[in-house]
Amino acid sequence: MKRQANVRIKTLKIDGIDVGAREGETILELARENGIHIPTLCHLDGVSDWGGCRLCLIEIKGSNRLVPACMAQAEEGMEVFTKTPRLVTYRKMILDLLLSERNHVCAVCVSNGHCDLQSMAQELGNTHVGLPYLNPSLPVDATHPYFIMDHNRCILCQRCVRVCREIEGAQTKGAMGRGIEVRIIHDLNEPWGQSLTCTSCGKCVQVCPTGALLQRGKAVGEMVKRRDFLPYLQMMRED
Amino acid sequence: MHERFDEITQKELADNRAAQHVVKVCVAAGCLSSQSAEVKTALEQGVNGRSCKVKGVGCLGLCSEGPLVAIEKHLPDGSSQNIMYQNVTPEDAPAIMESLDKEPVARLLCPTDVPFFQRQQKIVLENSGEIDPERIEEYIAADGYRALITAVTEMAPFEVIEQITRSGLRGRGGGGYPTGLKWVTVAKAPGPDKFVICNADEGDPGAFMDRAVLESDPHRVLEGMAIAAYATGANEGYIYVRGEYPLAIARLKTAIRQAQRMGLLGSNIAGTTFSFNINIRLGAGAFVCGEETALIASIEGRRGQPRPRPPYPAEYGLWGKPTLINNVETFANVPTIIRKGGDWYASIGTAKSKGTKVFALAGSIVNTGLIEVPMGTSLRDIVYEIGGGLPNGGVCKAVQTGGPSGGCIPASYFDTPVDYESLKELGSIMGSGGMIVMDESASMVDVARFFMEFCMTESCGKCVPCRVGTVHMYNILSKIYQGEGTPRDVELLEKLCDMVSVTSLCGLGQSAPNPVVSTLRYFRHEYDELIAGANGSQTAVAPTTEVAS
Amino acid sequence: MSEKVKLATVWLDGCSGCHMSFLDMDERLLELAEKADLVYSPLVDPKTFPEMVDVVLIEGAVSSEEDYEKIKKVRAHSKVLVSLGDCAVTANVPGMRNPFKVQDVYNRAYIENADYNQHIPVQVIPPLRKTSVPVHNVVKVDVFVPGCPPSADLIFYVLSELVDGRIPNVSGMTRFGA
């Protein structure tokens, strides 16, 4: 009887498929292992989870609350659903909110064709935005010698903030303001080029899902990001 | 310890009886803002050798008529007589002092035989307006800290929790989660380090219950926290109080210092092995920091943003340790429950909501102020009896409860007893206890818009539905209110309400649509009329063109 | 033989790239012509919009008062309205002026960037509306075809479906900015 308390493997169901999870594994990790795709924009392998984009919301049998798959831990006997009609509807609406929030003009964006937001719209079948555009007036910070931050394309996923803090350890990037006024800032809201803490490592640029962070000199569609270094870095550090 | 308390109590009583008159001036924020400090000084100057003691006390309740002055006259037979003055100015002081041995000053008299005073039942506010909040001796003389001493010297932690569980006390911050259950969870959580946090980040528009408690009777909260710490095994406490409450902060600091000096906080409380310290942390004005995980982040020095739960703070809270978070009013109930027993407390209120609740009455109502009534009192009694109805005999249209997370309850439901379940059924919530009374002139669309604007500007911006959804909802409400709405806008508004409430990360976003949902539920016609007006202007044009062609 | 489907195309605030892509259907235009008549378009002669058109492709965002009047009228005389291309679907490049004030846009275009004859026209050029918006913000749209521009293949697929009386599903076949 005592042995049962030490069972570390949990068995559960995702979309009707039986799966086995390690202790502490999230539903998102588990789903990916088993070839079940759950959309997300703020999750990034190699850094901590944020739970802000709400695209990976899932339903768990017996609970009427939706939880983000990236932060929900697998429990014994759970029955998880990732593609119920209402989840699909909410995801499309959330994406509409993101597309209406700032000025995402794919046709003239450096990341056209290599953008997570753009492909998410395609994946979820958002052929148009059902909400009026908010058309905010936002600056572009081009003070850094190598990189540019275009707030018009930012979706506030905070991947850059997390990679800067957790992997590079510079803590240059942060967020300020409330609600719709939240902005990604450098140090104490200084121009990026004047940041004393930025190491110009460029990790933030590579992890940015959209064209908000880019390398100087890139034209439309030229900004291709590399993400493979992150899990690798993390793995090497663990060893 | 009890002997020492007896001594203090005897001395306090003797001091009190020594003066023939005790003049109690409200020095809580409401009355202070209308010059009660000056009134107190003027009264003190007018003592002039009379057998009279002037002291500052906490909130007397009827804030709209402040400054309030209560006078306790000791009669030779040992009984006492009480009168109250309202709207007192410093210039009135000489007249009041002159009249002490004669007839009261009629023009200033505040009738106390009215429902506002008679219908209340005070537990949390029992010392408000009675004791000087800046003197621990007065709190002790009013049976203060006895519950703590009893708990730590005579009761095991689980016995304390049992009393709280039996009392049926539920979280007064808004959620209504059973307090006993929360305490058990923290008590059972493993690990040597645990924390107790008092949430004093009261931010709902129109709510001022917690401020009054902190300003009027700060020791009650400290005692409640200490008892909670003993019961759950914590030895460090934090009070997270908003920076906008300078007086509450000052009085808390004084109270903590006094309690430490008396050995009621600190190491080895009452000679036992139980140690407990309380620190104050100031909020910087963010509403979202009232959400427990955001509050913890703020105490830890990080940006005040919530995180998904579970894990709940009871398991993984401040600095990753098991943490008990309760609201000011919840803690303020604890000493009385321990002193009088859980069963006593459970005898008050309704089947599922026990005890009393403090409400802040505001808006279009005669008696603006603070009241404490048993759970289950009807809204009609609160508004028309205790609240004295609307000014100039106005007709009440609705009461907004629960602040930006709550809803509007129309007058037709005023006979509903106020408790957690019934308010929820009506599409509102108990919330922290703010009640805003609205008369016939209030536009419910505008009310919804006001609260949506509040949520929009107070969203932390972490999750998409709350950050962007509230902006779209606000824009649609503005459009409708300005007479430019279409039926499609209402449709979209309803969809957004559902989506934002279901998909948002924390309580702020999840409840942000409530004011819209409840006004749509009860006052749909107001939306429709504004939209019909908008379309009406367009259809009015059509016939003219037809005639012209 | 049943009557041919009436097809129209409308050019609002766009670069005409979507119309170019339409023409890029090349010989497949003949295939379509067997089933549909192009009754109104910048590419054909008629100057008045017919009483009722079966399928109407809209290129461009609604930016000026003229666009606004035109799309309202077109909608009233169309059965199936198709937003063709990013400008019609998202306001795209025309919408990039939206964060700015209309007056600033005029100044930029007609004063600051003009070498000769610097003045803001008051005749002939229709006045701009406050913002450039997607077509579906003004009238009901039945089919959305994003893309900048949508490829000739995609337009052919969409039209083939529509002339056969089916509503095409383009999700997965194109994207914003494609």
Side-chain angles (χ1 to χ4, degrees):
Chain A
M1 288 309 279
K2 223 175 178 186
R3 193 179 290 164
Q4 207 168 7
N6 285 330
V7 170
R8 290 291 163 99
I9 301 296
K10 324 247 180 187
T11 52
L12 53 149
K13 274 191 169 137
I14 302 182
D15 291 342
I17 298 167
D18 288 307
V19 292
R22 292 183 305 277
E23 176 92 35
E25 196 169 9
T26 66
I27 301 291
L28 184 66
E29 289 169 324
L30 189 58
R32 286 185 175 182
E33 263 171 38
N34 290 279
I36 300 164
H37 176 71
I38 301 177
T40 165
L41 279 173
C42 67
H43 171 85
L44 182 66
D45 284 339
V47 294
S48 65
D49 273 305
W50 176 244
C53 78
R54 316 306 282 169
L55 286 173
C56 74
L57 288 178
I58 48 163
E59 288 192 67
I60 295 169
K61 193 176 177 182
S63 159
N64 49 14
R65 280 188 46 216
L66 305 181
V67 292
C70 63
M71 297 182 90
Q73 294 200 350
E75 305 276 355
E76 181 65 36
M78 248 184 187
E79 275 189 63
V80 175
F81 302 94
T82 71
K83 291 178 188 64
T84 62
R86 74 170 184 150
L87 285 177
V88 171
T89 311
Y90 289 143
R91 279 181 194 140
K92 290 184 78 149
M93 284 182 85
I94 288 167
L95 199 66
D96 266 7
L97 289 176
L98 276 176
L99 290 166
S100 70
E101 183 185 12
R102 296 197 175 186
N103 306 307
H104 297 283
V105 189
C106 300
V108 294
C109 179
V110 287
S111 287
N112 190 6
H114 316 284
C115 169
D116 290 2
L117 183 66
Q118 188 184 32
S119 21
M120 186 62 72
Q122 194 177 15
E123 178 192 326
L124 299 184
N126 288 40
T127 55
H128 67 288
V129 178
L131 295 160
Y133 290 97
L134 296 178
N135 299 318
S137 179
L138 294 165
V140 176
D141 183 345
T143 57
H144 193 280
Y146 311 134
F147 312 119
I148 293 173
M149 163 100 212
D150 182 354
H151 292 277
N152 292 287
R153 313 279 195 243
C154 176
I155 59 166
L156 296 170
C157 67
Q158 313 249 351
R159 284 185 186 181
C160 57
V161 175
R162 285 175 282 156
V163 81
C164 186
R165 182 177 60 226
E166 296 166 19
I167 307 297
E168 179 62 7
Q171 303 212 27
T172 303
K173 293 206 176 248
M176 69 173 257
R178 285 182 203 161
I180 200 80
E181 305 289 336
V182 173
R183 302 280 179 272
I184 297 298
I185 55 164
H186 300 92
D187 292 341
L188 296 170
N189 196 21
E190 280 143 279
W192 195 357
Q194 286 170 29
S195 166
L196 294 174
T197 58
C198 177
T199 62
S200 302
C201 73
K203 290 190 185 71
C204 54
V205 176
Q206 300 303 332
V207 299
C208 175
T210 70
L213 289 168
L214 58 137
Q215 282 169 339
R216 260 184 192 285
K218 295 287 182 189
V220 171
E222 289 182 356
M223 189 64 231
V224 183
K225 313 237 167 141
R226 289 186 48 218
R227 310 260 159 76
D228 44 341
F229 73 95
L230 241 186
Y232 176 72
L233 259 185
Q234 208 200 27
M235 192 176 75
M236 295 306 279
R237 285 183 187 183
E238 275 167 7
D239 293 346
Chain B
M1 210 66 192
H2 282 300
E3 294 73 37
R4 208 174 135 209
F5 281 4
D6 288 341
E7 231 170 80
I8 293 170
T9 309
Q10 292 305 326
K11 188 171 172 299
E12 281 298 312
L13 282 176
D15 281 358
N16 202 34
R17 294 298 301 187
Q20 209 181 340
H21 303 276
V22 180
V23 179
K24 296 181 271 195
V25 186
C26 171
V27 288
C31 286
L32 277 180
S33 67
S34 47
Q35 279 197 313
S36 76
E38 288 82 353
V39 170
K40 185 170 170 250
T41 314
L43 287 167
E44 278 162 349
Q45 283 164 352
V47 171
N48 233 346
R50 287 189 184 87
S51 173
C52 165
K53 182 175 154 193
V54 178
K55 71 173 186 180
V57 295
C59 185
L60 284 155
L62 195 54
C63 305
S64 55
E65 305 302 326
L68 297 169
V69 175
I71 297 177
E72 187 182 319
K73 184 177 186 178
H74 298 128
L75 300 174
D77 63 358
S79 67
S80 52
Q81 204 179 19
N82 294 297
I83 56 167
M84 197 189 289
Y85 290 128
Q86 60 189 14
N87 297 313
V88 181
T89 62
E91 291 73 40
D92 295 327
I96 291 174
M97 290 320 246
E98 285 302 317
S99 73
L100 281 180
D101 293 313
K102 301 170 199 152
E103 281 299 298
V105 188
R107 67 184 168 90
L108 295 173
L109 269 185
C110 172
T112 52
D113 54 353
V114 294
F116 183 84
F117 293 102
Q118 299 299 321
R119 292 285 304 271
Q120 295 197 44
Q121 180 175 3
K122 296 192 171 185
I123 296 174
V124 169
L125 299 177
E126 63 178 347
N127 294 334
S128 284
E130 292 295 328
I131 66 165
D132 182 344
E134 297 186 348
R135 294 189 61 234
I136 192 171
E137 294 82 2
E138 294 206 18
Y139 179 64
I140 289 172
D143 283 339
Y145 285 114
R146 300 221 180 222
L148 173 63
I149 302 303
T150 308
V152 298
T153 57
E154 293 164 30
M155 297 166 83
F158 78 86
E159 288 174 316
V160 174
I161 296 176
E162 201 197 325
Q163 289 304 316
I164 299 297
T165 307
R166 288 175 80 101
S167 76
L169 177 64
R170 295 169 65 176
R172 295 291 192 247
Y177 191 77
T179 308
L181 192 55
K182 212 177 206 179
W183 288 26
V184 171
T185 318
V186 179
K188 286 190 175 170
D193 298 318
K194 293 178 191 175
F195 295 97
V196 168
I197 296 176
C198 173
N199 184 349
D201 192 53
E202 182 179 52
D204 293 2
F208 45 92
M209 299 76 51
D210 295 349
R211 185 184 72 188
V213 174
L214 295 172
E215 288 176 357
S216 308
D217 200 5
H219 286 288
R220 169 177 292 272
V221 180
L222 302 186
E223 186 180 3
M225 286 178 73
I227 293 169
Y230 174 71
T232 55
N235 45 32
E236 190 83 27
Y238 288 88
I239 301 179
Y240 189 85
V241 53
R242 54 196 308 233
E244 293 93 327
Y245 284 177
L247 186 63
I249 296 162
R251 289 194 177 148
L252 274 173
K253 282 183 177 163
T254 307
I256 291 172
R257 204 170 53 237
Q258 290 169 343
Q260 282 169 341
R261 205 171 292 161
M262 302 235 354
L264 296 166
L265 287 177
S267 304
N268 302 102
I269 292 170
T272 65
T273 54
F274 172 59
S275 301
F276 183 60
N277 264 310
I278 295 180
N279 308 283
I280 294 179
R281 287 290 178 275
L282 302 189
F287 180 68
V288 73
C289 287
E291 198 281 340
E292 55 186 22
T293 57
L295 188 151
I296 287 173
S298 179
I299 291 182
E300 289 175 353
R302 291 184 286 121
R303 186 175 151 86
Q305 285 182 325
R307 61 159 175 80
R309 300 175 303 180
Y312 288 89
E315 285 175 70
Y316 189 90
L318 188 62
W319 317 115
K321 308 290 183 193
T323 302
L324 174 75
I325 302 191
N326 277 139
N327 153 277
V328 170
E329 196 183 329
T330 314
F331 282 126
N333 272 301
V334 168
T336 315
I337 292 172
I338 298 299
R339 219 165 54 228
K340 300 194 176 174
D343 293 334
W344 168 81
Y345 192 84
S347 69
I348 306 164
T350 63
K352 283 183 171 172
S353 304
K354 302 296 185 191
T356 59
K357 177 80 191 84
V358 182
F359 292 106
L361 291 181
S364 186
I365 191 157
V366 172
N367 298 328
T368 302
L370 215 55
I371 59 161
E372 183 172 357
V373 292
M375 290 279 189
T377 308
S378 73
L379 274 171
R380 186 176 307 284
D381 281 355
I382 292 175
V383 173
Y384 286 104
E385 289 286 308
I386 302 171
L390 280 72
N392 307 320
V395 180
C396 183
K397 186 177 189 175
V399 169
Q400 210 281 344
T401 73
S405 316
C408 295
I409 298 168
S412 48
Y413 289 88
F414 272 15
D415 289 318
T416 318
V418 173
D419 63 18
Y420 289 100
E421 277 70 28
S422 61
L423 286 186
K424 203 171 170 195
E425 229 164 80
L426 291 177
S428 187
I429 58 164
M430 176 78 75
S432 52
M435 277 195 182
I436 301 171
V437 181
M438 288 170 284
D439 62 23
E440 288 290 338
S441 71
S443 158
M444 301 317 276
V445 179
D446 197 26
V447 169
R449 188 174 77 132
F450 169 82
F451 284 108
M452 191 53 72
E453 184 180 14
F454 183 88
C455 292
M456 174 179 82
T457 47
E458 289 297 342
S459 163
C460 78
K462 177 170 177 172
C463 76
V464 181
C466 178
R467 180 177 79 227
V468 194
T470 52
V471 177
H472 280 294
M473 288 193 283
Y474 172 76
N475 288 348
I476 294 172
L477 287 165
S478 296
K479 198 174 156 197
I480 295 173
Y481 183 62
Q482 285 156 9
E484 294 159 12
T486 63
R488 225 189 125 252
D489 286 323
V490 181
E491 230 172 82
L492 186 59
L493 187 62
E494 284 178 315
K495 270 191 197 164
L496 283 167
C497 281
D498 170 60
M499 191 265 290
V500 172
S501 67
V502 174
T503 60
S504 287
L505 195 161
C506 81
L508 196 160
Q510 287 161 6
S511 63
N514 283 0
V516 184
V517 173
S518 76
T519 49
L520 272 172
R521 176 167 162 191
Y522 298 116
F523 301 96
R524 176 96 191 195
H525 58 277
E526 293 198 18
Y527 287 82
D528 292 343
E529 279 159 23
L530 281 166
I531 287 165
N535 290 342
S537 64
Q538 281 169 18
T539 44
V541 178
T544 352
T545 34
E546 253 177 38
V547 172
S549 63
Chain C
M1 190 186 153
S2 63
E3 218 178 309
K4 277 192 190 177
V5 170
K6 287 198 181 103
L7 174 69
T9 74
V10 175
W11 183 13
L12 302 178
D13 192 8
C15 68
S16 87
C18 296
H19 274 90
M20 296 301 118
S21 204
F22 178 87
L23 292 178
D24 279 344
M25 282 192 284
D26 299 335
E27 72 278 8
R28 283 172 294 182
L29 284 167
L30 301 173
E31 212 174 299
L32 278 172
E34 286 170 15
K35 293 179 178 171
D37 278 334
L38 191 57
V39 294
Y40 176 89
S41 167
L43 309 166
V44 296
D45 284 335
K47 295 288 177 281
T48 49
F49 200 82
E51 185 51 39
M52 188 49 71
V53 180
D54 299 311
V55 175
V56 183
L57 304 181
I58 311 288
E59 171 187 344
V62 180
S63 298
S64 67
E65 293 299 341
E66 189 199 20
D67 297 336
Y68 185 79
E69 296 301 323
K70 196 190 267 179
I71 194 64
K72 288 249 175 192
K73 208 171 123 191
V74 166
R75 174 72 265 189
H77 299 278
S78 309
K79 284 183 186 157
V80 177
L81 198 71
V82 183
S83 272
L84 182 72
D86 276 0
C87 293
V89 174
T90 74
N92 200 22
V93 173
M96 287 171 75
R97 70 161 170 101
N98 290 349
F100 304 94
K101 289 196 183 89
V102 169
Q103 194 57 43
D104 293 344
V105 174
Y106 280 138
N107 285 341
R108 185 75 173 167
Y110 295 108
I111 311 278
E112 290 167 35
N113 286 344
D115 292 330
Y116 305 104
N117 196 16
Q118 295 170 328
H119 82 287
I120 294 167
V122 287
Q123 290 177 328
V124 184
I125 307 287
L128 287 179
R129 289 171 66 82
K130 211 172 143 199
T131 51
S132 291
V133 295
V135 173
H136 64 272
N137 286 21
V138 180
V139 295
K140 186 177 174 289
V141 171
D142 305 299
V143 180
F144 295 89
V145 186
C148 188
S151 67
D153 292 347
L154 182 67
I155 299 177
F156 181 71
Y157 163 73
V158 167
L159 285 177
S160 307
E161 292 291 289
L162 286 170
V163 292
D164 286 346
R166 291 185 296 270
I167 294 293
N169 177 12
V170 301
S171 55
M173 302 174 77
T174 180
R175 54 172 162 76
F176 301 128

